[in-house]
Every structure is written in C-alpha cells, then in structure tokens.
Amino acid sequence: TPKAAKRSLFKFQDREEDYNLFTIHVDEEVNVNGNVKSGDAGAGGSADVSAGRKSGKTYNDYDNNDAYGSEDNYDDVYGSDDYDSNDDYDNAESAVQSTKPKPTKSLSSTVKSQVTWMKNKFNHGVFVGKLPIAVNGVGSEASIISSRLRSRDDPEKGTDLSNGFAGFVCRMCADGKTYQAYIRTSEYESNGIEFVCAFETEMKSSLSDGNKSLNKFQTVRLPFSKFKPTVRRTVPGAQVDLSSVKPFVGRDVKQIGFRVDSADNVLAKNDPNKARYKWMSFYIAFCYIKVYRSQPEPEFVYLSDARIPAEVKNGMVRHDLKRILSDSDGEEVESLLINEEEAKRVLQNPKDRSGEELYYKYRGEEILKNSGLQYSIIRVPSLNELPSGEFSTIQLKQSNEDLAAVSRAEVAAVCVSALLDPQARNVCFYLSKAKPGARIMSIDEKISNQFEALVPET
C-alpha cells in the first residue's frame, strides 16, 4: 500500500509547529443580520481566552512522511481528568442540514466565554472551555482556526487537497458533544461563505475499570462532500446565492478550523438539572488531522477472527492483559475470550498466551480503521479443507450468530471479490456457510449481492 494513501496535514503530537499554527478565533465579524459578533469566542460579549503559542508561519501544503501502524497514546488529560486506555474507536460523520446563518446571543460584558487552546502532557492539541448555554435556540460559539495555508505553486491560493483525496480523517478524544469543522476558501473572502461539516463525538457510557473521565478516543472521517456552504458574514456588495456555490472538493483550502456551538448541544427537556445550568463545558483533544485518499474499492483486505463480538463495548478490551473480557453487562456470548477470574489467572501466569492472538487481531482491525485507508475486514470462523465447489452457500453477514466453518478456497474467493467490489469498501463482516437449501447462484452474483446488503462503517 503506498504511503500516499493517507497524508498528514497536522500532527499535533509530533510537531510543535503544527500546534502553533492554530489559535483561538477572536476576530470580530459582522453576521448577515448586521449584528457585531465577537469572533466565535462568545457571542456579543468579550472573550476571556488563552490561545497558547501563536505562529506567524504559513502552512505550505501537506506532508507525506506518515508512519503507518504507529501507536497512538490512548490516555488524554486535562486538569484532573485521567482518560483510561480502554476505549472503543468509532467513526462518525454527519452533514450540516441548514445553510442559513445562526443568530448569536447578545450578552452582557460581564458574561464571558472561557476557552483555551493548549497542549496536554501527551502533546495533543486541546480545545477546551465553557460557553453560556443556549437560550430559546440561540447559542454562543467558540472556535479555533489555522494560520493562512498556501499552495506551493501559487501563494495567493490555498492548499489544493483535491488531487486523489476525498476528505479529512481526525484522531481525537472528545466528550460526546456536537462540533463543526469548517473550511475557508476564496469564497469566504469574496462572499463570506464557509464550508461547514457538523460531526458527532461519543463518550463512554460509564466510569469503569478505573476511568476518571467519560471522554472517549475516536477517529472521525469528514468527507469533502459533507462540507456545505454556509454564510458566516456579510460582504458589502456581494450577491450571495448558495445554490450556485460550487461544492467543496478540497481545492483552495486557506484556513481550517473547528467550532463548538451551545445551540447544537441543548440539554434534554427532561433533564432534572437543566434549570440550574448556566454554562456548557466542552473538551476536544486532537492527535492529528490527515486526508484520506479517494478510492472506489478497498485498498486493504484484512482477515480477522470471528470470535470477536459484533459489538465490543467499553471496558471489554484490556490492554494490560492483552485480552478481551466478557460483556460488561454480564451476558453470555460464545465468542468472548475470558472473564474476570480468567483475567486474574493470566496476570499470575504471564507466559500463558491463550487469547492473546485474538486481542491482536482486534487491535489490527482498529489500526486499519484509523489509518485512513479504504478497507474490508473479514472475520473468519474455523477453516476446513472441503472442496470449493459450493460457493453458492457462502454467507456474508454482520452478526456473529450461527457461524459455520468455511473452506480456505472460499475465503480466498471472498478476498479477491472484495478487492474488486466498491460495495465491499469500509465494511466489517463475518464469513459463514449458509443453511442448507439456499438458492444456488454463481459465485460472482452471490458475493456481489451480499456486499451490497452490508452496512459500511464509515
């Protein structure tokens, strides 16, 4: 697989200069309603911000020196929050549904938003703080933004990411809130239009196994196609028609930023503590921001183990034991490795390697999902040496129930088909024999139809 499959834009963990390229956005702008908005660091009022170290340098295109398979630091810390390494890694993406500008709340000068761009002990770039809660659907915002990015070929233009790339992939630790990624191109300068993509983050369900925070690591893919034009400010004389704005495809990227809006994170109506909340806290830590390649078919087919459950919940992966524990809800699942008693036995006998292979199979899946490559993960049950003439009975499914052994020749046939089928891109599935009596189809028809029925993970 070529290294160009995924290129680094910003590696906060490894490059100090990348962290310095970002700062809290505090420039005053005028929105389309003519109201002055104090940047994005608190609507209408002054902002108490700490921007860390600034840099006047411009970012000259992107770096292709990316180390594949390198381990991320799973822990993340801000203040007294210690984030444990027993995390699930999931992809999330969602599009901005409305291109209409949101009004911002006019606040008293005594009410301040407190936001910070800082580095934690793991050298992650951390955007953290608190905002006044939304009132009647009108919220406050805070954002970080990069320095001016320039093309090598023409410094007046922004970086061109359109050549072979389809979107951004961001490694982060966040708190379950909704955030926005936004891109500024020449459209922002001429018409006040940003390209915005909202995305959901996730949080842990409970504080278990010594975790002190609910913040959760994940990898988020942001396809260029999900960035929608949004009017952010009024430009005198500009005739704005969003329907005529060309879609964002990665060209002319002059600035990249991330924003949080309290109007996107409204408390549930039945929250018993809603009445006493005045502030909304937020936390999002960035490990890296990269671009992933545009590829219609899978670039990597990974053979994994069908004993891995369809859902691996928080706390089930024990990195210290190199094992997968039983379901935290106590359910009996045949494919799970060990329970807590078995975990104690493993600690007492470190030479016992039973279950370690399955743990590394799962870790391989996670590394591949986080790589930015287009993938197909095939979880295979036990193998046999039976003749390969009954391809019509192959079954591809995303449940690990009622799995039956398959032949090596059948596994090989599915792998070859996956490499050539766009429907097999970014899917994880179990391979099994179908029940007797299934309709006989050709191998190509059978596998292709089943790929189409699978639900992609990204």
Side-chain angles (χ1 to χ4, degrees):
T1 302
K3 277 192 174 183
K6 179 191 62 171
R7 296 203 175 180
S8 298
L9 288 175
F10 307 101
K11 298 178 73 173
F12 303 107
Q13 201 167 0
D14 301 325
R15 298 194 296 237
E16 181 73 14
E17 61 270 24
D18 288 359
Y19 165 74
N20 289 331
L21 286 171
F22 282 78
T23 187
I24 299 294
H25 184 41
V26 293
D27 294 333
E28 287 199 349
E29 297 174 356
V30 180
N31 66 19
V32 294
N33 296 321
N35 299 321
V36 175
K37 184 173 65 171
S38 179
D40 292 322
S46 59
D48 178 15
V49 301
S50 172
R53 287 157 290 195
K54 296 183 179 179
S55 171
K57 297 183 294 183
T58 56
Y59 198 86
N60 195 7
D61 277 331
Y62 46 83
D63 178 19
N64 63 359
N65 295 322
D66 185 44
Y68 287 96
S70 58
E71 292 286 338
D72 289 319
N73 282 323
Y74 300 121
D75 298 339
D76 214 356
V77 170
Y78 175 69
S80 60
D81 290 336
D82 294 313
Y83 306 141
D84 191 81
S85 60
N86 297 327
D87 296 301
D88 291 331
Y89 310 98
D90 299 295
N91 295 313
E93 61 185 43
S94 59
V96 175
Q97 298 299 319
S98 174
T99 55
K100 294 182 179 180
K102 294 182 180 179
T104 54
K105 185 179 179 182
S106 178
L107 300 176
S108 166
S109 61
T110 60
V111 179
K112 297 182 179 181
S113 298
Q114 300 174 352
V115 295
T116 301
W117 173 243
M118 56 169 282
K119 267 200 169 186
N120 62 16
K121 70 178 184 179
F122 301 106
N123 289 324
H124 298 154
V126 181
F127 180 36
V128 63
K130 62 180 182 179
L131 295 170
I133 63 171
V135 178
N136 297 325
V138 180
S140 300
E141 296 179 345
S143 73
I144 55 173
I145 194 167
S146 71
S147 298
R148 173 72 159 81
L149 312 181
R150 302 183 187 275
S151 170
R152 286 194 180 103
D153 299 329
D154 185 353
E156 294 302 316
K157 295 181 179 180
T159 297
D160 187 356
L161 304 175
S162 64
N163 187 17
F165 296 98
F168 301 100
V169 55
C170 307
R171 180 73 167 157
M172 62 183 66
C173 179
D175 56 1
K177 292 185 173 61
T178 298
Y179 294 86
Q180 300 174 13
Y182 63 94
I183 304 295
R184 290 183 176 176
T185 66
S186 297
E187 281 286 352
Y188 183 76
E189 299 170 355
S190 58
N191 295 313
I193 294 174
E194 289 179 347
F195 292 90
V196 182
C197 175
F199 61 92
E200 306 289 337
T201 63
E202 296 186 3
M203 61 189 298
K204 298 173 185 175
S205 58
S206 63
L207 296 176
S208 60
D209 298 320
N211 292 341
K212 297 180 181 179
S213 171
L214 294 176
N215 293 353
K216 181 177 178 181
F217 273 95
Q218 61 197 102
T219 299
V220 175
R221 288 193 179 207
L222 305 172
F224 293 153
S225 61
K226 297 294 185 180
F227 284 79
K228 305 302 180 183
T230 304
V231 177
R232 288 293 299 180
R233 64 178 183 133
T234 297
V235 176
Q239 300 295 322
V240 179
D241 181 7
L242 292 180
S243 63
S244 65
V245 177
K246 294 182 179 179
F248 176 68
V249 293
R251 294 192 183 96
D252 191 28
V253 178
K254 294 188 173 181
Q255 288 181 298
I256 299 175
F258 292 87
R259 179 183 295 123
V260 60
D261 186 343
S262 59
D264 292 335
N265 297 279
V266 178
L267 294 172
K269 291 183 178 180
N270 59 355
D271 191 316
N273 299 314
K274 184 175 181 179
R276 62 185 182 87
Y277 287 146
K278 294 183 179 180
W279 297 89
M280 181 202 79
S281 61
F282 65 91
Y283 179 99
I284 183 167
F286 294 94
C287 307
Y288 59 69
I289 302 171
K290 302 180 181 182
V291 283
Y292 63 87
R293 205 172 78 182
S294 176
Q295 174 78 13
E297 300 91 12
E299 300 170 86
F300 198 107
V301 175
Y302 181 76
L303 286 182
S304 190
D305 197 311
R307 292 176 296 164
I308 297 175
E311 181 184 7
V312 180
K313 299 180 180 179
N314 291 333
M316 290 174 62
V317 180
R318 288 287 298 272
H319 299 287
D320 56 335
L321 300 174
K322 295 182 173 58
R323 296 293 191 276
I324 300 178
L325 300 182
S326 56
D327 193 330
S328 58
D329 294 333
E331 299 177 359
E332 290 292 332
V333 182
E334 182 180 355
S335 61
L336 295 176
L337 279 176
I338 55 177
N339 54 27
E340 287 290 348
E341 292 183 1
E342 179 72 2
K344 294 179 181 179
R345 186 185 65 79
V346 171
L347 283 177
Q348 296 171 355
N349 184 12
K351 293 184 179 181
D352 185 350
R353 299 174 61 85
S354 62
E356 189 171 326
E357 179 182 352
L358 185 58
Y359 165 82
Y360 280 110
K361 285 283 189 179
Y362 176 74
R363 287 288 293 119
E365 288 186 8
E366 297 306 300
I367 291 172
L368 179 56
K369 291 177 183 179
N370 297 336
S371 69
L373 296 171
Q374 311 291 354
Y375 62 85
S376 185
I377 297 174
I378 306 174
R379 291 175 175 172
V380 182
S382 57
L383 299 172
N384 59 45
E385 301 295 344
L386 295 178
S388 57
E390 296 295 331
F391 286 120
S392 62
T393 61
I394 289 178
Q395 189 175 41
L396 315 182
K397 57 183 184 177
Q398 292 176 302
S399 167
N400 60 343
E401 297 178 357
D402 299 325
L403 299 179
V406 294
S407 71
R408 286 176 170 80
E410 289 166 335
V411 173
V414 173
C415 288
V416 172
S417 298
L419 284 170
L420 303 174
D421 196 326
Q423 301 291 344
R425 184 179 62 178
N426 297 335
V427 295
C428 177
F429 60 92
Y430 296 88
L431 180 59
S432 179
K433 278 286 192 179
K435 294 181 178 180
R439 183 172 73 88
I440 297 178
M441 294 184 284
S442 69
I443 178 61
D444 292 336
E445 178 189 10
K446 179 71 176 178
I447 296 179
S448 180
N449 288 348
Q450 293 198 66
F451 278 142
E452 186 177 0
L454 297 175
V455 179
E457 295 189 333
T458 58

